[in-house]
Structure formats: structure tokens, C-alpha cells
């Protein structure tokens, strides 16, 4: 594969890659301490759970849907896993439990969207509120404390635990990148997102693909909740606040079309890295970190605007070629 082919294949991710490179270059000139090994390690560990959620969000958005309940789902899974650990569930079983809890909650969203036919933004907004308020009502805002000794960092040292968290995220990234590109299920996700009726005529069941994407979204969020929870000695009941916006923003900024059918998990990786670095970068650059949300908002707005503009240009070009061919 030559350089031109690489550029052509990654054109949706390229703006995010360039923006991230510019940010790193600016930091190298103004705040070289940003590249301290400890800071980079903290960034990787802090960002890894968000990347895992962003992988699931990529699948959901590629099908043309959206899930804004992941922040609440993240909190429910975190607290539930803390309770189960205190109840004596073995540490090695907790990853399977996390996947199961997340998948069940994700299946609720998927059933209402894919089987009942309700809009995903309405369904997930409702579950976002229900799960968050339900958890608050049950816990009364109390943290899960006195966790067993083997819970934090899975009983390993902090360095090994951090390596496991980042390693899990990178392995999942590779698996999803390969699956979306080379497996029939991955191609079906793109087909459903591009044209649901055409995919149905081609023998794909769009409802199953959409349902599966929400189940996968939930399972990945459960796993991310566990990998985040093991970093601390106590689990707050308000975890995951704003996580849905971070994940959606990372995916869209990374070049995944908000209307579905286009984009990659590699783009989601760069989107997560870019948005996850801004807050820390502002601190090292001596800029008030209150600007973080404003800058993130500007980047997201720019990405969505650019996506809409490119889609409109491609549509006009396609129409011009069609007219030229029929003339």
C-alpha cells in the first residue's frame, strides 16, 4: 500500500490526526514537561476506560443510532461490581459479571430501539435518567467503601494494574479494527448504517445488527467500569457523569459520521486521545482549565460541520457524475 492509498483510506481520520499532532507540537514548544513519563502514563490510564466506551459507541453510531445512557450505565456497573466484590465474588469472576451486567442493560436499550422501533435518542435519554436516579435512590449518594484487599488493581501492584488497564484497551482496539474490516459482522454494521433497506434486501437483518450493537455497547461499558473502579479504594455512586458526551465526541471528532455507515475505531482512538489530552495540556500550558469544555465544544462543532460539508460536497459530485453519465 503506497502513501496515497493510506491517505485516501484514512481521509476521515486525517483532520483529527493533524489536530492531535499540532497539539503535541505546541506542547513540545511551550510545555515540554507534558511529556514527562509519569504524566503520559497517567493520561493513558485515565483515557483507557473512555476508549473502551468509545469503541462501543463507534459501533452504535456506525449503525446510525446513538446511546446517551452510557454514563449512567457506567455508574450502575461500578457500584454493582463494588457490592459484589464486598459480598465475596472472586476477583477473577468480576470481568465476566461486568460484561453480563452491561450486556443486560444494553439489551434493554437494544430491544426498545431495534424491536419496538423507538428512537434511540429517546430510549437512551429515558434510561439515562432512570438508571442514574434509580442508583441515587438506592445508594442515597453513598460511596461503596471497605472494598476487599484484592479488588484494587486486581490484587497486583499499581504498575501491573495500570499496564493491564491500558493493555485491555489496546487489545480491544485491535480486535474491533480487524473485525470491522475483515469479518462479515463488521461489514454488516457498515451496510446497515449506510442504507438499512438495501442491507435488508442483501440478506442482513438490520434489527439484529442494531440490537447487537447496543448489547455490545453495554458489555464494553461494564468492562470499562470495572477497569476504572479497580484504580480506587472506594467507588462513588456518581461515576460516569459526562462520559456519554466524551465518548460521542471522541467518535465524531475521530471521523465517524454521526449519520452512520462511515468511520473507523482508529479515528475513535485519535478522537479520544485528542479530547482526553486537552485538559492536562491546558494545565501544563498555564491556561485556565475552565477553557477545556469550551475548546472541546468548538472541536466537536467543527468536526460535525466538516462532516456535513464533506457529505454535501460528495452528494453534489455524485449527482454531477450521474447526470454526465446519463447525458
Amino acid at each position: 500500500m503506497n502513501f496515497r492509498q493510506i491517505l485516501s483510506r484514512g481521509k476521515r481520520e486525517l483532520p483529527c490526526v493533524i489536530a492531535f499532532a499540532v497539539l503535541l507540537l505546541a506542547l513540545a514548544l511551550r510545555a515540554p514537561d507534558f511529556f514527562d513519563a509519569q504524566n503520559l502514563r497517567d493520561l493513558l490510564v485515565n483515557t483507557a476506560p473512555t476508549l473502551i466506551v468509545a469503541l462501543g459507541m463507534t459501533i452504535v453510531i456506525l449503525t446510525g443510532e446513538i446511546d446517551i445512557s452510557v454514563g449512567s450505565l457506567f455508574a450502575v456497573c461500578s457500584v454493582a461490581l463494588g457490592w459484589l466484590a464486598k459480598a465475596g465474588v472472586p476477583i477473577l469472576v468480576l470481568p465476566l459479571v461486568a460484561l453480563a451486567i452491561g450486556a443486560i442493560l444494553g439489551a434493554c436499550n437494544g430491544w426498545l430501539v431495534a424491536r419496538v422501533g423507538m428512537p434511540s435518542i429517546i430510549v437512551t435519554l429515558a434510561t439515562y435518567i432512570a438508571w442514574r436516579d434509580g442508583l441515587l435512590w438506592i445508594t442515597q449518594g453513598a460511596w461503596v467503601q471497605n472494598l476487599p484487599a484484592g479488588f484494587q488493581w486486581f490484587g497486583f501492584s499499581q504498575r501491573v494494574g495500570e499496564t493491564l488497564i491500558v493493555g485491555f484497551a489496546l487489545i480491544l482496539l485491535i480486535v474491533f479494527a480487524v473485525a470491522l474490516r475483515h469479518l462479515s459482522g463488521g461489514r454488516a454494521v457498515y451496510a446497515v448504517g449506510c442504507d438499512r433497506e438495501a442491507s435488508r434486501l442483501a440478506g442482513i437483518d438490520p434489527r439484529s445488527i442494531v440490537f447487537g450493537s447496543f448489547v455490545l455497547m453495554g458489555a464494553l461499558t461494564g468492562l470499562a467500569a470495572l477497569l476504572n473502579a479497580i484504580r480506587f479504594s472506594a467507588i462513588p455512586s456518581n461515576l460516569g457523569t459526562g462520559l456519554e458526551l466524551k465518548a460521542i465526541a471522541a467518535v465524531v471528532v475521530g471521523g465517524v459520521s454521526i449519520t452512520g455507515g462511515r468511520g473507523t475505531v482508529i479515528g475513535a482512538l485519535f478522537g479520544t486521545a485528542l479530547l482526553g489530552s486537552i485538559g492536562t495540556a491546558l494545565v501544563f500550558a498555564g491556561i485556565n482549565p475552565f477553557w477545556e469544555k469550551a475548546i472541546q465544544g468548538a472541536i466537536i462543532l467543527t468536526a460535525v460541520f466538516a462532516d456535513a460539508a464533506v457529505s454535501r460536497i460528495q452528494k453534489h459530485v455524485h449527482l454531477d457524475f450521474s447526470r454526465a453519465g446519463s447525458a
Side-chain angles (χ1 to χ4, degrees):
M1 183 183 298
N2 58 38
F3 185 66
R4 179 176 296 181
Q5 288 173 316
I6 293 174
L7 282 181
S8 176
R9 181 167 292 179
K11 59 185 177 184
R12 296 194 63 83
E13 297 81 14
L14 192 58
C16 182
V17 174
I18 293 174
F20 188 49
V22 170
L23 174 65
L24 294 181
L25 179 61
L27 287 167
L29 296 174
R30 177 160 178 167
D33 289 345
F34 175 86
F35 297 95
D36 177 75
Q38 181 62 47
N39 181 54
L40 294 181
R41 187 161 54 244
D42 291 344
L43 270 177
L44 285 173
V45 175
N46 291 336
T47 308
T50 306
L51 174 61
I52 294 174
V53 176
L55 293 177
M57 191 65 74
T58 301
I59 305 299
V60 170
I61 292 181
L62 280 176
T63 65
E65 305 292 348
I66 198 162
D67 188 344
I68 58 175
S69 70
V70 292
S72 299
L73 198 156
F74 189 89
V76 170
C77 289
S78 300
V79 172
L81 291 168
W83 286 341
L84 290 171
K86 288 182 66 174
V89 174
I91 300 300
L92 292 178
V93 178
L94 286 181
L96 297 177
V97 176
L99 291 170
I101 295 174
I104 291 171
L105 295 178
C108 296
N109 287 335
W111 183 77
L112 290 170
V113 174
R115 302 300 174 183
V116 181
M118 296 175 68
S120 57
I121 192 167
I122 301 298
V123 169
T124 56
L125 177 61
T127 51
Y128 166 84
I129 297 171
W131 290 333
R132 179 71 73 184
D133 286 359
L135 183 65
L136 181 62
W137 178 72
I138 292 172
T139 64
Q140 295 295 306
W143 292 27
V144 182
Q145 297 179 321
N146 302 318
L147 292 164
F151 183 81
Q152 193 170 19
W153 305 114
F154 287 131
F156 298 108
S157 66
Q158 180 174 345
R159 182 62 61 87
V160 174
E162 290 176 344
T163 305
L164 284 175
I165 292 172
V166 176
F168 267 124
L170 293 178
I171 290 172
L172 285 172
L173 173 71
I174 295 170
V175 169
F176 274 73
V178 173
L180 280 174
R181 183 164 182 79
H182 297 289
L183 298 185
S184 59
R187 291 192 288 272
V189 168
Y190 283 106
V192 169
C194 284
D195 191 323
R196 198 158 291 193
E197 180 60 18
S199 66
R200 188 185 66 79
L201 293 174
I204 299 171
D205 182 0
R207 293 192 302 174
S208 296
I209 297 297
V210 171
F211 176 78
S213 71
F214 278 97
V215 173
L216 191 60
M217 175 81 261
L220 288 173
T221 304
L223 181 61
L226 174 63
L227 295 178
N228 180 72
I230 63 169
R231 299 164 54 203
F232 308 105
S233 58
I235 301 174
S237 58
N238 62 347
L239 276 174
T241 303
L243 178 62
E244 59 283 343
L245 293 180
K246 289 181 183 176
I248 294 170
V251 170
V252 174
V253 169
V256 177
S257 173
I258 195 68
T259 55
R262 290 171 295 169
T264 65
V265 292
I266 301 300
L269 167 67
F270 281 102
T272 304
L274 174 63
L275 296 179
S277 302
I278 289 176
T280 307
L282 291 176
V283 173
F284 275 87
I287 300 173
N288 193 326
F290 285 117
W291 281 100
E292 178 183 1
K293 300 300 181 187
I295 294 173
Q296 288 181 345
I299 292 174
I300 295 165
L301 190 60
T302 303
V304 173
F305 177 79
D307 182 58
V310 170
S311 297
R312 179 165 295 186
I313 292 171
Q314 288 177 334
K315 185 177 180 180
H316 280 294
V317 170
H318 177 72
L319 287 175
D320 289 342
F321 274 113
S322 299
R323 288 167 183 163
S326 60

